[in-house]
């Protein structure tokens, strides 16, 4: 399998997983994108990062986009090449907004665009490989396909479907200054949960599948007993913010493993100003109806 292009650009949206009750199975894409350019070269790998994560992420073969790119090229049976990678990052790191899924999907989608052969690397293979790297499919699925998604594992493979939602759906993210690693937040989860808590969440996820068409259901449909309570000790002020917002009728959830709080809809200006005064970043974002987008810029051998 030869490369068809030498130079590709990829944009990948931020994502919010879990959405309250849907631990490891619900997620949505947000119109906040990392932009990545990959040039295939005959030299060594060079990485340049601006924006979020600049100065802290690796700048060689260990960079997550490069690692994913190599996995994608290998899967496609394409040659490994030198890489000139440029990342313009908008997604905050370590905040539960899918920055690692975005990097993984960016690398895989770059490999797919360089090869440009759907049989060698299809979108469902990208979902499969991204889920293997991430360990769960709920960020990768909306990052690749966009919208609001339910994702699940079946016979070792990841699958996903879109959920219906009102057009022009928006969300507000309340992003704290501090980071939290997903692996640390996952280690806090118990081996088993009470049966009634499982039933509670199953009912809320079932409600959630309709709640984005019936917003009056959203406050109840976003209640969770499977992960947020167990993680509260490492979520800093996020649980207090979440509870304050929910007590005012706003459907607030912990975004992914946290510590960002996501609210379906808008937050009023007074609350926004109060949060910003305490160093929270508050952004109103559209739901990204399109997921990752990859565009070749130079045919192989025509640079
Ligand atoms: N479902 C994952 C978790 C999402 O909550 O650990 C991580 O972004």
């Amino acid at each position: 399998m030869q490369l068809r292009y030498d130079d590709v650009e990829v944009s990948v949206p931020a994502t919010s997983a879990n959405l309250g009750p849907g631990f490891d199975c619900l997620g949505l894409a947000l119109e906040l994108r990392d932009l990545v350019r990959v040039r295939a070269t005959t030299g060594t790998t060079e990485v340049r990062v601006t924006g979020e994560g600049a100065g802290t992420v690796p700048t060689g073969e260990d960079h997550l986009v490069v690692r994913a790119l190599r996995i994608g090229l290998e899967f496609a049976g394409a040659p490994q090449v030198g890489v000139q990678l440029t990342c313009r990052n908008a997604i905050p790191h370590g905040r539960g907004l899918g920055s690692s899924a975005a990097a993984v999907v960016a690398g895989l989608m770059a490999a797919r665009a360089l090869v440009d052969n759907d049989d060698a690397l299809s979108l469902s293979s990208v979902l499969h490989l991204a889920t293997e790297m991430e360990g769960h499919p709920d960020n990768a699925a909306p990052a690749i396909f966009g919208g609001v998604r339910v994702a699940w594992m079946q016979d070792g493979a990841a699958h996903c479907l879109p959920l219906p939602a009102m057009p022009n759906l928006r969300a507000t993210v309340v992003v704290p200054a501090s980071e939290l690693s997903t692996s640390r937040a996952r280690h806090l989860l118990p081996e088993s949960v009470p049966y009634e808590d499982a039933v509670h969440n199953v009912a809320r996820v079932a409600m959630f599948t309709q709640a984005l068409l019936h917003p009056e259901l959203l406050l109840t449909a976003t209640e969770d007993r499977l992960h947020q309570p167990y993680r509260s000790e490492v979520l800093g002020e996020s649980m207090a913010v979440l509870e304050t917002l929910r007590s005012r009728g706003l459907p607030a959830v912990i975004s992914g493993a946290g510590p960002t709080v996501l609210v379906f809809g808008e937050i009023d200006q007074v609350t926004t100003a109060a949060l910003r005064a305490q160093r929270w970043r508050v952004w109103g974002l559209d739901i990204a109806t399109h997921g990752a987008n990859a565009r070749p810029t130079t045919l192989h051998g025509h640079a």
Side-chain angles (χ1 to χ4, degrees), residues 162-271:
L163 289 181
M166 295 169 294
N168 308 321
L169 180 66
R170 280 171 64 80
T172 306
V173 290
V174 182
V175 187
S178 58
E179 297 186 20
L180 171 62
S181 85
T182 296
S183 66
R184 185 170 173 221
R186 287 181 88 82
H187 275 110
L188 293 170
L189 301 177
E191 287 285 313
S192 59
V193 295
Y195 207 84
E196 68 185 67
D197 289 352
V199 172
H200 171 279
N201 270 50
V202 167
R204 266 89 191 145
V205 170
M207 281 179 78
F208 189 91
T209 63
Q210 295 305 309
L212 293 175
L213 297 173
H214 304 280
E216 70 280 5
L217 297 178
L218 267 174
L219 190 62
T220 304
T222 50
E223 290 173 346
D224 165 64
R225 290 190 191 169
L226 292 190
H227 69 105
Q228 293 177 177
Y230 298 106
R231 290 168 159 173
S232 60
E233 65 185 86
V234 292
L235 286 171
E237 297 299 308
S238 297
M239 283 305 280
V241 167
L242 177 147
E243 276 153 21
T244 301
L245 294 170
R246 290 188 68 84
S247 72
R248 296 178 190 171
L250 294 169
V253 297
I254 296 295
S255 181
T260 291
V261 176
L262 176 136
V263 180
F264 287 92
E266 312 283 347
I267 302 183
D268 67 82
Q269 286 183 358
V270 173
T271 307

Side-chain angles (χ1 to χ4, degrees), residues 33-235:
R33 287 173 181 263
D34 282 354
L35 303 176
V36 162
R37 181 168 187 180
V38 174
R39 286 186 193 171
T41 71
T42 52
T44 53
T45 293
E46 295 168 25
V47 177
R48 191 167 161 264
V49 179
T50 55
E52 300 287 338
T56 60
V57 295
T59 52
E61 287 291 333
D62 284 351
H63 191 281
L64 195 48
V65 174
V66 179
R67 283 170 46 208
L69 174 81
R70 300 229 172 278
I71 287 170
L73 291 175
E74 184 182 337
F75 185 90
Q80 297 294 343
V81 287
V83 175
Q84 252 181 32
L85 170 68
T86 310
C87 300
R88 283 191 284 148
N89 292 342
I91 306 171
H93 287 198
R95 305 304 207 293
L97 288 169
S99 63
S100 67
V104 164
V105 168
L108 294 168
M109 291 296 284
R112 178 175 146 84
L114 288 170
V115 170
D116 193 34
N117 181 323
D118 198 55
D119 291 337
L121 188 50
S122 65
L123 286 181
S124 60
S125 297
V126 170
L127 176 60
H128 167 73
L129 295 171
T131 301
E132 278 197 335
M133 290 184 76
E134 282 273 289
H136 45 87
D138 46 341
N139 291 104
I144 296 164
F145 296 102
V148 186
R149 295 260 151 190
V150 57
W152 68 96
M153 301 303 296
Q154 189 176 339
D155 301 328
H159 302 264
C160 70
L161 282 173
L163 289 181
M166 295 169 294
N168 308 321
L169 180 66
R170 280 171 64 80
T172 306
V173 290
V174 182
V175 187
S178 58
E179 297 186 20
L180 171 62
S181 85
T182 296
S183 66
R184 185 170 173 221
R186 287 181 88 82
H187 275 110
L188 293 170
L189 301 177
E191 287 285 313
S192 59
V193 295
Y195 207 84
E196 68 185 67
D197 289 352
V199 172
H200 171 279
N201 270 50
V202 167
R204 266 89 191 145
V205 170
M207 281 179 78
F208 189 91
T209 63
Q210 295 305 309
L212 293 175
L213 297 173
H214 304 280
E216 70 280 5
L217 297 178
L218 267 174
L219 190 62
T220 304
T222 50
E223 290 173 346
D224 165 64
R225 290 190 191 169
L226 292 190
H227 69 105
Q228 293 177 177
Y230 298 106
R231 290 168 159 173
S232 60
E233 65 185 86
V234 292
L235 286 171

